[in-house]
Amino acid sequence: MADERDVDVVVVGMGPGGEYAAEELAGAGLAVAGVEARLVGGECPYWGCVPSKMMIRAADLLAEGRRIPGMAGRSQVEPDWAPVAQRIREEATDSWDDKAAVDRFTRAGGQFFRGMGRITAPGQVTVGEHVLRARRAIILNTGTEPAVPPVEGLAGTPYWTNRDAIEAARVPDSLLVLGGGAIGAELAQVFARFGATVTVIEGAGQLLPLEEPEAGALLAAVFDRDGIGVRTGTTARVVRHDGISFTVGLSDGTEMAGDALLVATGRRTNLAGAGVVALGLDETARVIPVDDHLRVPAGEGWAAGPGVWAIGDMTGHGAFTHMSMYQAGIVVADILGREVSPAEYHAVPRVTFTDPEIGSVGMSERQAREQGIPVATGFAKVPESARGWIHKAGNDGFIKLVADSGRGVLAGATSAGPSGGEVLGLLALAVHARVPVRRLREMIYAYPTFHRAIETAVRDLG
């Protein structure tokens, strides 16, 4: 017999946004059921943002120590992965145990259900033997999984995804990385700094293919200087594993070997698993359609029922924790009947935490031109005047501005360099608030700082 429960809200997927929404709604007095098949908190605290930044911070410390000679004295740096792995296991993830997160939710008044939640009828979510009926709302937040390409021979081999890399107990002697996006680039640099021989293989013509070409070129130059191999414009054609190491045959006819293989070729949604077909939607689609309050519109054949909202990766507006949290705030207000501004996506910030950091917001130059926007660009290297403040990779960095010259505002920007993600804050505000370029020219920029390069880039807009 099915265990049937009536609640106000069912949250399917307790990643950062889903967990936040569920706790907020429960705190507001609603009866909330939270459903999660893996770990409450999602990818970010267990395999993404938090543990990866522990790894990056540790790798940065090694790089800093190696820069002491010639600048501040003498040093001898010997990497040790053991304390990094221990911190990730004990401090960040509780050995990949979400008990503390589950307890926090239930203390807020929520009911927790472990398993894959699927919409099986309007207002109804089935989780194993449990049938949850929502009186007011269903929130979908099922996130994404690592996307593994159908490369001949890859299936069945002990390749890594980002999750395996985060859980690694040791550093391999050599590592091949399929994918030169943010995840692949960050992890490649980490393992290289801890002693692995690393090569990144990227099918596009540049590293970080979603970013400006200047960002990819900068990171490629830094990787080359640090001994990290980069192969762009080629893809894996076949993978072999002999029980000890990998051999990857590339589309350009060459082969590469490594002790470990990290597959970082993107993420995929699973709308079919969430049961969106019950809403009259296409379960084979890549993302789920939502309006500016994250409501899922009624599909063909969808019977009347409580509202459905979707947040996070599955909406297609950026696979970032901050996006999921932003959308969750709108959904909570909407369900509670509070006034809330509609979602805006013209100033979405993102940061790749390599050294140097690559921060960007809004549109790239290519995206702006493809949308028919009259474009002006401004470019400036990180100022030489900041040299005394260098604490990372020297003066590797730049500011690139993409302006809508017709409206006189920024459409996008990139901040690459030491603390590039922090410098991005000023540019994110300018893009979000549509600050006139004229006002940016009239600002006073502190000296000597990395963000002072923004002043030069604004002047370069003409």
Side-chain angles (χ1 to χ4, degrees), residues 2 25 79 96 102 123 167 192 195-196 231 251 366 368 422 438-439 446:
L25 292 169
W96 292 274
V102 173
E167 296 180 20
R231 300 287 300 275
S251 57
R366 176 183 57 80
E422 305 304 324
R438 174 183 57 81
R439 294 296 290 161

Side-chain angles (χ1 to χ4, degrees), residues 14-88:
M14 296 279 280
E19 182 183 17
Y20 171 80
E23 290 186 7
E24 288 292 302
L25 292 169
L30 299 186
V32 180
V35 180
E36 175 56 53
R38 295 181 67 90
L39 298 177
V40 173
E43 194 82 8
C44 180
Y46 298 103
W47 300 285
C49 326
V50 177
S52 71
K53 301 315 168 281
M54 282 185 169
M55 295 166 63
I56 290 167
R57 173 58 176 152
D60 284 353
L61 285 173
L62 293 176
E64 282 294 276
R66 291 165 180 150
R67 294 181 186 124
I68 290 175
M71 293 185 69
R74 294 184 298 275
S75 69
Q76 182 176 344
V77 177
E78 297 180 4
D80 182 1
W81 185 253
V84 180
Q86 182 177 1
R87 285 194 68 207
I88 290 172

Side-chain angles (χ1 to χ4, degrees), residues 167-338:
E167 296 180 20
R170 57 174 292 273
V171 174
D173 290 335
S174 56
L175 174 68
L176 301 177
V177 180
L178 297 186
I183 294 173
E186 288 179 358
L187 293 176
Q189 191 172 54
V190 165
F191 284 105
R193 287 181 167 180
F194 272 91
T197 300
V198 179
T199 300
V200 181
I201 301 162
E202 169 55 52
Q206 67 169 76
L207 291 176
L208 306 181
L210 299 181
E211 304 298 340
E212 296 281 13
E214 294 90 341
L218 170 64
L219 195 58
V222 170
F223 277 14
D224 180 67
R225 187 181 65 207
D226 292 346
I228 301 173
V230 175
R231 300 287 300 275
T232 56
T234 187
T235 58
R237 181 180 54 81
V238 63
V239 171
R240 296 187 296 274
H241 188 260
D242 61 8
I244 299 175
S245 61
F246 288 88
T247 301
V248 178
L250 302 180
S251 57
D252 62 9
T254 63
E255 289 190 341
M256 306 205 70
D259 294 321
L261 174 66
L262 168 60
V263 178
T265 49
R267 313 277 301 178
R268 64 175 181 84
T269 56
N270 179 14
L271 301 191
V276 300
V277 68
L279 305 176
L281 301 178
D282 180 7
E283 65 178 15
T284 66
R286 187 179 64 84
V287 298
I288 193 167
V290 291
D291 66 13
D292 59 10
H293 282 74
L294 290 311
R295 305 177 188 118
V296 179
E300 184 178 351
W302 180 21
V308 179
W309 286 256
I311 61 176
D313 300 5
M314 66 193 310
T315 66
H317 290 291
F320 313 117
T321 295
H322 49 273
M323 176 59 71
S324 180
M325 297 292 287
Y326 167 73
Q327 292 177 328
I330 295 173
V331 170
V332 167
D334 205 29
I335 291 173
L336 294 176
R338 299 170 181 167

Side-chain angles (χ1 to χ4, degrees), residues 363 365-374:
M363 288 186 282
E365 178 182 357
R366 176 183 57 80
Q367 290 170 330
R369 293 190 187 281
E370 287 176 350
Q371 293 191 23
I373 294 173

